[in-house]
Amino acid sequence: MKKITLIITLFFLFSLNILPQNYKYAWISGIHFELPPVKSELQNIVNDINNKKEISFVIITGNISKNSKNEEIDSAKKILDNLSIPYYIIPGTNDAKLNENCNMEFKDLWKDNKFAFSFKGIKFIGLNNGIFMHESGHYRVEDLQWLDSVLSKTPDTEEVFFYSNYPAENSIDNLVEVTNRLSSHNLKAIFFSVQKDNPPANIEGTPVITENSGISDFNGWKYTLLENIRDSIILQNVTSASTGETATGFIKNNANSSMADTVQFKNYTQEAEKNITGIKANVLWQKDLKRTLSAPVLAEGNKIFAATNNGDVFCFDSNGNILWQNKSGGRIISRPAATDSILITGTVEGDLISFNTVNGKIIQTIGLNEPITSQLITIDAEYNGAPAIGVVAGTAKGSLYCYDVTSFEMIWQNQSAQRVIASEPLYINNRIIYGSGDGHLYCVDAKAGVLNWKLLLSSNVNNSPALCSPVANEKSTFIAATGKNITSVDLLLGKAVWQKNNLDAANSIGISNNLENIYVKGYKDNFLIVSAKTGKIIKNIKIGFGIDSSPSPILEWNRNIIFSSQNGNIYLIDKNYNCNPLFYLGRGGIQSIIHIRENIFAASTIDGKIIVFSIE
């Protein structure tokens, strides 16, 4: 009898830990903290939560900062640390896109940028999708591996609530990688903090619960009080005016969630009905590094170099064989630069590192004491009165450095920019042209590093030209920004020649081989060919790739235009303006396409996939 009583007691205690119980918690969504004036509003939210003793914990979802500044995130943390109950926090895309600490501020302050914990029968999971230099949301390969580990230890009976940020208009390109993983568990609801556009009301059968910004888009302050009931979730807005009398209820998902299509690769040119251009693309080799590849790949001679986010550096031969692999000792988000015998990488920790391209051994290292964020380029320079090759690197603080490649002695530095330099600087006619997160386009003398001119394009960091790599002809340079404008700037004087806001541009432009036309990947579904002289639209081609503000290169080859989109496709537009996709490389954004030689090209994705292909 005692044994039976003990079993019943243990079962009861087990049920209390596994089966969801009624309780309340708070959700602060989209703080958008700035200095000043909303500091007191966030403090008011903290005070109100502290006064409600029925609240068990707080979940906070990005965006935390309004302008990607460390000081905004740091100040927000000081206030949030006044909460008298535990809180769990994840950043948003705004906190990462142009952050001067390269999206590491959260890990420095809170030790992580994601969370997983269990409370009274529910597993709460929060996952970051903000990535430095990316407009859209994307879940990193390493974070998906972490999610796999969390779910593998989650009992089938334990309910799961998933929290994340949903970027304005740009969505999350690989959301399905998360929802498919969650669908095999007891997923009850998905929670998104949103800015403008809402995600669907449900995803593969699971209800989606959304909340707008708690401060900046609201007159006063607001947070959400949630009550968990066995089969439902009750949401109640708490505002600076009052605690809402009305509440919104959601029924938890009680069915098995379905899984979406997870095709990872496709060669469209092998499908006759879709190949309207008649061009064939053939895969020469592919690699999956299974780690984040923020930096585009680099081709030099017969070698291809790749530097991953965790600091691994790879060298492949023309057949895809690994010639060597080494570690930089830091995190890399910048494309390397190379000469015949030297490869140079830059790290977020602020080090320039040179490698022997033959055997991969490190030659030397020098510290810049600033996160290196731009793509590296080499230029013709002078050092000690003699011709030299210089490597140019931009930093998160807006500095531009030029070092001699062989000695790593500084040739010059320029500190005109006040915020991050993230894209590839343009080297043309002894000038270096680049955009900055401070909203300016800069032109620096390549020999001496002195400022030739600067031009203000936007005072809003989110519309700055920092993510776009400029292009140029003999007279003008051209730049596109997130605000959908394209500006033509006199190369010598730094004055705007024309600016067009009807081109639907967003960070991606190219220039024709004859330098007469500008190629524009539009913000939504279209591709434009524009006169470089006047800005007049010559051709508007409907593509159908959806919304896309991701920066990506645009190439012209043999009168064909080649470009990629956030949806994972590589497209080709032929001389008759017919367009069809060449490849689908999965749901990770394609951040580079390079022309290696003749009809050979390479492309890479942020998820570490590399493909080398030919076009016939």
Side-chain angles (χ1 to χ4, degrees):
M1 184 65 183
K2 289 183 179 179
K3 185 175 181 180
I4 295 174
T5 303
L6 177 61
I7 292 173
I8 294 173
T9 303
L10 290 174
F11 178 78
F12 176 74
L13 293 174
F14 178 78
S15 298
L16 287 178
N17 288 325
I18 296 298
L19 296 178
Q21 302 169 50
N22 293 7
Y23 56 87
K24 293 181 180 181
Y25 66 97
W27 178 18
I28 305 175
S29 168
I31 294 171
H32 293 155
F33 192 90
E34 62 178 333
L35 296 171
V38 295
K39 181 177 180 180
S40 60
E41 302 291 13
L42 180 57
Q43 185 63 62
N44 287 335
I45 291 176
V46 169
N47 293 342
D48 195 80
I49 291 174
N50 286 341
N51 288 332
K52 289 182 169 59
K53 302 306 179 185
E54 70 272 24
I55 299 177
S56 299
F57 58 87
V58 182
I59 286 178
I60 305 168
T61 53
N63 294 308
I64 307 305
S65 66
K66 183 175 182 179
N67 300 299
S68 296
K69 291 183 177 181
N70 283 348
E71 61 178 347
E72 294 173 339
I73 300 173
D74 297 349
S75 297
K77 183 180 188 298
K78 291 178 181 178
I79 298 173
L80 293 171
D81 283 348
N82 291 322
L83 284 165
S84 59
I85 53 178
Y87 73 90
Y88 306 89
I89 187 168
I90 56 172
T93 50
N94 244 35
D95 303 314
K97 181 173 64 175
L98 291 174
N99 177 254
E100 63 247 57
N101 203 15
C102 306
N103 196 21
M104 288 303 296
E105 193 68 7
F106 264 74
K107 284 192 173 182
D108 290 346
L109 294 176
W110 285 284
K111 309 306 179 187
D112 209 340
N113 57 9
K114 53 190 178 294
F115 62 77
F117 67 96
S118 295
F119 189 85
K120 295 186 178 181
I122 297 180
K123 175 79 75 176
F124 291 84
I125 300 174
L127 201 58
N128 164 51
N129 60 48
I131 293 184
F132 184 70
M133 296 191 296
H134 281 71
E135 292 274 356
S136 62
H138 183 85
Y139 297 108
R140 298 169 67 248
V141 173
E142 295 83 356
D143 288 340
L144 293 176
Q145 294 167 351
W146 170 86
L147 180 60
D148 288 336
S149 176
V150 169
L151 293 175
S152 69
K153 301 170 186 176
T154 301
D156 292 339
T157 54
E158 188 173 19
E159 295 186 356
V160 176
F161 285 0
F162 178 75
Y163 280 84
S164 196
N165 169 251
Y166 196 86
E169 300 179 323
N170 290 290
S171 73
I172 305 167
D173 56 23
N174 66 339
L175 177 60
V176 67
E177 296 292 343
V178 169
T179 55
N180 276 356
R181 284 167 164 82
L182 295 172
S183 66
S184 60
H185 289 75
N186 194 12
L187 177 64
K188 292 300 183 181
I190 297 172
F191 299 79
F192 283 127
S193 57
V194 299
Q195 298 177 48
K196 295 179 182 178
D197 292 359
N198 287 329
N202 73 82
I203 296 177
E204 306 300 334
T206 301
V208 174
I209 300 170
T210 62
E211 278 299 312
N212 294 313
S213 169
I215 295 179
S216 63
D217 295 331
F218 185 79
N219 184 20
W221 54 263
K222 178 187 75 172
Y223 68 91
T224 305
L225 187 63
L226 296 92
E227 183 175 7
N228 179 71
I229 302 174
R230 180 179 293 270
D231 296 318
S232 305
I233 309 161
I234 307 300
L235 283 74
Q236 188 176 42
N237 283 336
V238 181
T239 73
S240 52
S242 64
T243 301
E245 295 297 330
T246 60
T248 304
F250 290 86
I251 304 298
K252 296 179 184 179
N253 176 34
N254 290 310
N256 292 327
S257 299
S258 57
M259 295 182 68
D261 176 36
T262 56
V263 173
Q264 295 298 315
F265 178 79
K266 186 181 291 187
N267 185 341
Y268 292 104
T269 66
Q270 294 178 348
E271 303 174 18
E273 68 278 7
K274 293 185 178 180
N275 190 2
I276 62 175
T277 64
I279 289 175
K280 295 289 185 180
N282 301 303
V283 177
L284 302 181
W285 57 267
Q286 289 179 278
K287 295 289 180 183
D288 187 354
L289 302 180
K290 297 186 183 302
R291 64 203 80 180
T292 299
L293 186 62
S294 297
V297 294
L298 171 72
E300 181 67 28
N302 292 320
K303 297 183 176 76
I304 291 180
F305 300 96
T308 65
N309 198 252
N310 69 354
D312 290 336
V313 182
F314 296 85
C315 176
F316 301 94
D317 67 14
S318 57
N319 296 315
N321 301 309
I322 296 179
L323 296 177
W324 55 261
Q325 178 182 350
N326 204 344
K327 292 185 177 294
S328 66
R331 291 170 294 117
I332 299 175
I333 59 176
S334 304
R335 189 194 63 195
T339 65
D340 290 339
S341 59
I342 299 175
L343 177 76
I344 307 101
T345 64
T347 70
V348 171
E349 288 73 19
D351 292 326
L352 273 180
I353 306 167
S354 60
F355 297 81
N356 184 306
T357 58
V358 176
N359 56 32
K361 292 183 178 180
I362 292 178
I363 301 172
Q364 56 186 333
T365 301
I366 188 169
L368 275 60
N369 297 318
E370 297 178 34
I372 297 172
T373 50
S374 80
Q375 316 307 313
L376 305 186
I377 62 171
T378 56
I379 65 171
D380 297 323
E382 291 183 4
Y383 178 63
N384 287 338
I389 298 177
V391 59
V392 176
T395 74
K397 294 184 178 180
S399 302
L400 194 71
Y401 293 93
C402 180
Y403 281 83
D404 177 68
V405 166
T406 56
S407 68
F408 266 8
E409 293 290 334
M410 184 189 293
I411 298 175
W412 52 258
Q413 64 175 314
N414 184 285
Q415 295 178 311
S416 298
Q418 300 303 304
R419 291 204 65 179
V420 61
I421 303 170
S423 63
E424 178 182 350
L426 173 67
Y427 175 49
I428 182 172
N429 298 342
N430 195 37
R431 296 175 176 87
I432 300 173
I433 300 168
Y434 56 96
S436 167
D438 64 13
H440 289 85
L441 183 68
Y442 291 88
C443 177
V444 168
D445 181 88
K447 296 293 185 184
V450 297
L451 180 68
N452 288 329
W453 51 259
K454 68 176 182 178
L455 178 67
L456 179 63
L457 296 177
S458 174
S459 56
N460 183 344
V461 63
N462 294 312
N463 292 331
S464 75
L467 298 180
C468 179
S469 298
V471 297
N473 57 22
E474 66 277 5
K475 293 183 179 180
S476 299
T477 184
F478 306 88
I479 190 81
T482 310
K484 304 183 182 181
N485 293 324
I486 290 184
T487 306
S488 170
V489 183
D490 186 282
L491 200 56
L492 181 63
L493 302 176
K495 297 184 180 296
V497 177
W498 54 258
Q499 185 176 75
K500 302 292 182 179
N501 59 7
N502 65 332
L503 300 180
D504 200 35
N507 295 318
S508 298
I509 60 173
I511 194 163
S512 62
N513 290 343
N514 63 13
L515 305 180
E516 293 180 357
N517 297 323
I518 303 299
Y519 299 138
V520 182
K521 184 181 73 174
Y523 179 71
K524 185 177 182 180
D525 288 332
N526 62 328
F527 189 96
L528 300 124
I529 301 175
V530 176
S531 167
K533 184 177 181 179
T534 64
K536 182 180 178 181
I537 297 174
I538 297 172
K539 192 71 177 179
N540 188 342
I541 306 165
K542 295 297 180 182
I543 308 295
F545 49 71
I547 293 175
D548 186 357
S549 59
S550 61
S552 57
I554 302 172
L555 308 178
E556 181 185 334
W557 170 79
N558 199 27
R559 298 180 66 190
N560 300 295
I561 303 168
I562 304 167
F563 69 100
S564 65
S565 182
Q566 180 182 308
N567 64 7
N569 285 337
I570 297 175
Y571 293 93
L572 182 142
I573 300 173
D574 68 14
K575 62 184 178 181
N576 297 316
Y577 306 121
N578 297 311
C579 177
N580 64 257
L582 300 179
F583 296 106
Y584 172 69
L585 301 186
R587 298 178 186 273
I590 302 170
Q591 90 291 58
S592 72
I593 302 176
I594 57 174
H595 184 200
I596 299 176
R597 62 183 180 277
E598 299 171 348
N599 66 331
I600 309 298
F601 300 82
S604 61
T605 75
I606 193 171
D607 287 335
K609 296 177 181 178
I610 302 172
I611 179 174
V612 175
F613 61 95
S614 63
I615 299 178
E616 299 175 359

